[in-house]
Amino acid sequence: MTARIVENAAANREQRVGDWVVFDAALVHPAPEDEEAREQFIPTYAQVHVLERGGFAGSWLVDGAHPGEDAWNAFLEAAEAQGWRVWSHGRADYTVTDPEVAQGTLPGVLFTVAQPREHAPLALHRFLQQETAKWPHPQCWLRLAEACEQDREPHLAVIERYGL
């Protein structure tokens, strides 16, 4: 069987997004018997061969308060125009803490951005600065900032304020 990988790999894994692969149709791990556990189960298949590489380098984690659907959709469109792949990893009920709002929490957004191999990480860092500056709450991409030798303090402040 063949498939195109659509989900960004975790930051510490080899990037496979966009790869076209041959895989074994048998599950690597059987589905759990428990009905509740089955709802969270993600089937995993063994890769046999890569037919075509997707051409993406590693992905970078971004975390923070959700900017609202219009801002999020505009961000996705802008990232796609740059050739980057965005994958949202947060569940619908993901929240971040915010002591400055009455209810104490805000809807959160947790996502990764994979960049083409030919793009420098600093370009993504600057893009995130520009695009998320329009959002009502700042975001954190600490590992990317560190990799680009950029100021860590804004990201550490977001971690502190929102309990990331």
Side-chain angles (χ1 to χ4, degrees):
M1 302 196 71
T2 65
R4 182 76 65 181
I5 307 297
V6 296
E7 183 177 351
N8 290 346
N12 61 345
R13 302 278 183 165
E14 183 178 354
Q15 187 57 259
R16 296 286 188 195
V17 70
D19 287 5
W20 183 26
V21 299
V22 177
F23 66 96
D24 186 337
L27 288 172
V28 172
H29 307 285
E33 303 261 339
D34 178 62
E35 187 63 35
E36 197 172 309
R38 285 178 85 99
E39 289 179 22
Q40 302 299 317
F41 178 70
I42 299 173
T44 304
Y45 303 94
Q47 176 184 304
V48 176
H49 180 71
V50 177
L51 297 170
E52 178 181 280
R53 295 273 179 211
F56 287 86
S59 58
W60 301 96
L61 183 68
V62 181
D63 195 359
H66 197 289
E69 289 305 315
D70 289 343
W72 177 246
N73 290 331
F75 173 80
L76 293 175
E77 188 176 301
E80 184 178 308
Q82 294 292 324
W84 294 317
R85 296 279 180 98
V86 177
W87 186 267
S88 178
H89 297 275
R91 299 185 327 229
D93 62 349
Y94 178 61
T95 60
V96 297
T97 60
D98 187 356
E100 295 183 16
V101 297
Q103 64 274 30
T105 63
L106 293 168
V109 62
L110 178 67
F111 62 98
T112 53
V113 182
Q115 62 188 97
R117 290 191 188 283
E118 65 273 8
H119 290 197
L122 187 56
L124 176 56
H125 174 77
R126 288 180 177 151
F127 170 82
L128 289 170
Q129 284 180 314
Q130 176 184 329
E131 292 301 314
T132 65
K134 305 169 190 173
W135 295 4
H137 300 276
Q139 302 294 300
C140 174
W141 56 88
L142 178 62
R143 297 295 174 236
L144 175 58
E146 290 173 337
C148 297
E149 299 180 353
Q150 300 296 300
D151 187 7
R152 298 175 55 210
E153 290 308 313
H155 305 284
L156 294 172
V158 170
I159 290 169
E160 177 71 23
R161 176 177 172 183
Y162 298 99
L164 306 180

